Amino acid sequence: MRKSSRVLFLASSVAASWMAIASAQQPARPPVSQAATKKLALVGGMLLTGYEMPPIHHAAIVIDGNKIVAAGPASEVKIPADATVVDTSGRTMLPGLIETHGHLVVLGHGSYETWFPWIKAHGGDAMLTKVMEISAKQLLMAGITTTIDLGAPLSILSVRDRINKGEIVGSRMLVSGPWIAHLSGAGGGGAMQVGFGGLNISTPQQAAQETERLAAAGVDLIKAHSGLTLDDYKAIVDAAHKHRIRVHAHVYAESDVRHALEAGVDVLQHVGSAGTAPPYSPEMIRDIVNAGRPVVVTAAHRAWLYADTAAFPERLQDPEMKKLFPPEIFAEIQESLKNWPALGYFQRTDREMLYRERGVKQFIESGAVMGMGTDSGTPMNFHSEALWREIKVHVDMGMTPQRAIAAATRVNATIIGKGRELGTIEPGKIADIIVVKGNPLFDIVALSNVETVVKDGIVFKGGAAADTRTRSSSSR
Ligand SMILES: [Zn+2]
Ligand SMILES: [Zn+2]
């Protein structure tokens, strides 16, 4: 091993330029972590950097404030005398995971038709905010340091901002707010559309107007639902890109995927997700690959989760998961899942099971740019475990563990436009790091065993986990 080449140093000009980009894109947002000025060192464990490179054994990472300043073999990294040292020996260090498709307004409840009315009857907006806060915390404790939320009322903006200010503990959020759907399309009505705050349009002009309105409200990205016309998608993409925000499309059927691809939608979500569409034509796959357009399959929910729950229904009462819920919410979710095979959400499972493997493999084998996202929060798809289950499905379908981890870290960061700040462990990047028990390259389910979570240079789980109040009071 050429050890000396593994020690990396801060490229301050790169850091300065992405800071400038970040602040230009988000003028209304507070600067990231003014408070974190302490030095932290994670020392001893194996290091996966997020690149598809061999791991660095017996490694060390040094963090100053909210930035990584050094990473490499422990024998070559100088640990500052005043650093707080977290011993990671015998375990694996890797970049904080990124979830590119979550839903904070749902917590795995079985039915949108009863969940949203339950929220309304138990405090309304206050309960909805509480639910979103619980979701964000569950995600962070599962090692997910950044989450894309793809569908929520605009009140999610204040949850996002309070997490960023350090007032509440949660995954860093980038949010779409309400999705945009066609009045006559699949997302055009029902409890789901109302609960997730979906907006209906019927012309490209309206699509552009709604995009403008959402951008002005401060969303980080736009979610365009299925059932929109080519011109609708084009109008949304043009308006969003003017504001330098990306568009994610919720698309299954090949005709929708084709429209979204041709309109320049930045990320194709759900594609290949089993059941609602058989595998795509070779031409469709070829065009996605040639365009380098990222796909997020959201494979595990429904098709795999159904079978996994049938095999082990005890997962629904996992005591570790139970601890992450207030008792009244846990009781309501348990009630909703009593007869889970009969839920409307699972009524296409036969087709989903039929296509599930081909749906994922068609992208793995074609060399498509693949991110990792789960639709977490949907029925039985708990925030605390959705992402490691999704990653496991990809590995089971032939993706190497290293590529799957890269997809959930480095590739996901690039897909969401944060590749210069997040997604890898190297100097200059924001210090989002997790430590897991065991070796995920040997057994990917090691990702379910997150012992330490560092976000923005602050330890939120394991080690000497910070009290969020300490941070928010010192940042004022
Ligand atoms: Zn979706
Ligand atoms: Zn979704």
Side-chain angles (χ1 to χ4, degrees):
M1 291 281 174
R2 294 158 308 166
K3 282 185 169 179
S4 59
S5 66
R6 295 277 183 73
V7 184
L8 307 163
F9 297 96
L10 170 64
S12 58
S13 59
V14 171
S17 61
W18 71 249
M19 285 285 284
I21 291 163
S23 54
Q25 282 178 331
Q26 294 167 339
R29 304 281 286 281
V32 174
S33 185
Q34 300 156 316
T37 52
K38 288 185 197 151
K39 292 185 183 121
L40 182 70
L42 305 176
V43 182
M46 181 169 86
L47 172 61
L48 304 176
T49 58
Y51 289 100
E52 292 175 68
M53 294 282 284
I56 301 173
H57 295 288
H58 305 296
I61 304 165
V62 178
I63 297 161
D64 190 345
N66 73 332
K67 297 281 176 55
I68 297 164
V69 292
S75 59
E76 297 177 20
V77 172
K78 191 174 173 330
I79 309 297
D82 56 346
T84 302
V85 176
V86 176
D87 178 10
T88 66
S89 49
R91 283 155 289 166
T92 302
M93 305 182 278
L94 66 153
L97 303 173
I98 298 173
E99 161 70 89
T100 59
H101 194 141
H103 290 289
L104 294 197
V105 296
V106 282
L107 284 162
H109 190 280
S111 162
Y112 306 137
E113 281 76 17
T114 52
W115 172 241
F116 292 112
W118 185 88
I119 289 176
K120 211 169 185 182
H122 290 79
D125 288 344
M127 177 56 87
L128 186 65
T129 298
K130 185 175 171 181
V131 165
M132 290 193 277
E133 292 177 5
I134 293 165
S135 298
K137 186 172 180 183
Q138 288 184 353
L139 288 159
L140 185 64
M141 293 303 126
I144 297 157
T145 46
T146 301
T147 302
I148 301 290
D149 187 282
L150 286 177
L154 280 174
S155 57
I156 196 172
L157 294 173
S158 77
V159 176
R160 174 197 70 187
D161 292 345
R162 283 186 295 125
I163 291 169
N164 289 344
K165 285 183 206 154
E167 292 172 5
I168 49 174
V169 171
S171 184
R172 177 186 300 106
M173 299 301 305
L174 298 169
V175 306
S176 70
W179 61 59
I180 298 175
H182 199 280
L183 192 57
S184 63
M192 182 174 84
Q193 173 85 344
V194 174
F196 289 80
L199 299 166
N200 288 323
I201 59 98
S202 52
T203 65
Q205 291 72 27
Q206 284 177 0
Q209 280 165 10
E210 292 295 4
T211 305
E212 289 285 347
R213 203 173 66 75
L214 291 169
V219 303
D220 303 285
L221 58 138
I222 298 289
K223 182 179 190 180
H225 214 276
S226 56
L228 295 162
T229 66
L230 176 62
D231 287 341
D232 294 334
Y233 284 118
K234 278 184 179 162
I236 291 168
V237 169
D238 286 349
H241 287 183
K242 252 186 251 160
H243 292 273
R244 302 175 70 185
I245 60 180
R246 298 190 178 198
V247 180
H248 294 238
H250 161 118
V251 279
Y252 296 89
E254 179 151 341
S255 55
D256 284 325
V257 179
R258 176 61 68 188
H259 287 158
L261 178 72
E262 288 184 359
V265 163
D266 300 281
V267 184
L268 303 171
Q269 293 270 356
H270 299 304
V271 285
S273 181
T276 36
Y280 300 118
S281 67
E283 294 73 30
M284 186 78 256
I285 298 291
R286 186 197 62 211
D287 291 350
I288 289 172
V289 173
N290 286 344
R293 200 67 54 81
V295 298
V296 175
V297 178
T298 67
H301 74 312
R302 293 192 166 117
W304 265 275
L305 216 50
Y306 186 98
D308 293 350
T309 308
F312 187 63
E314 287 81 0
R315 68 173 283 265
L316 301 175
Q317 290 89 38
D318 182 306
E320 292 301 316
M321 182 183 74
K322 186 177 178 180
K323 285 182 204 162
L324 301 170
F325 289 92
E328 82 275 16
I329 291 178
F330 191 74
E332 170 59 26
I333 291 170
Q334 289 294 307
E335 181 65 29
S336 76
L337 297 174
K338 259 185 180 156
N339 187 19
W340 61 266
L343 293 171
Y345 190 76
F346 296 111
Q347 294 316 300
R348 284 194 307 260
T349 303
D350 50 349
R351 288 182 63 197
E352 289 158 7
M353 304 281 282
L354 184 65
Y355 295 127
R356 67 180 193 173
E357 300 202 356
R358 280 178 282 167
V360 184
K361 284 178 176 167
Q362 64 187 346
F363 289 113
I364 294 176
E365 290 165 4
S366 67
V369 177
M370 297 183 76
M372 206 63 82
T374 70
D375 227 356
S376 74
T378 53
M380 306 199 302
N381 197 20
F382 304 108
H383 296 296
S384 51
E385 50 178 54
L387 192 51
W388 70 255
R389 285 179 180 276
E390 184 75 21
I391 295 170
K392 180 181 188 301
V393 164
H394 281 70
V395 170
D396 289 347
M397 290 302 101
M399 192 180 263
T400 66
Q402 195 169 47
R403 186 177 167 203
I405 289 169
T409 56
R410 179 172 54 81
V411 177
N412 269 356
T414 306
I415 285 175
I416 64 173
K418 300 287 178 189
R420 303 183 81 167
E421 305 148 70
L422 303 173
T424 61
I425 295 179
E426 60 185 310
K429 290 282 178 96
I430 288 177
D432 284 3
I433 299 161
I434 63 172
V435 183
V436 303
K437 193 164 184 270
N439 176 9
L441 300 184
F442 173 75
D443 177 5
I444 198 69
V445 179
L447 296 180
S448 69
N449 221 325
V450 176
E451 293 191 342
T452 302
V453 178
V454 178
K455 186 192 77 169
D456 226 7
I458 296 173
V459 182
F460 284 94
K461 183 181 186 182
D467 183 327
T468 180
R469 286 167 300 179
T470 312
R471 178 182 164 183
S472 62
S473 57
S474 60
S475 68
R476 281 179 193 138

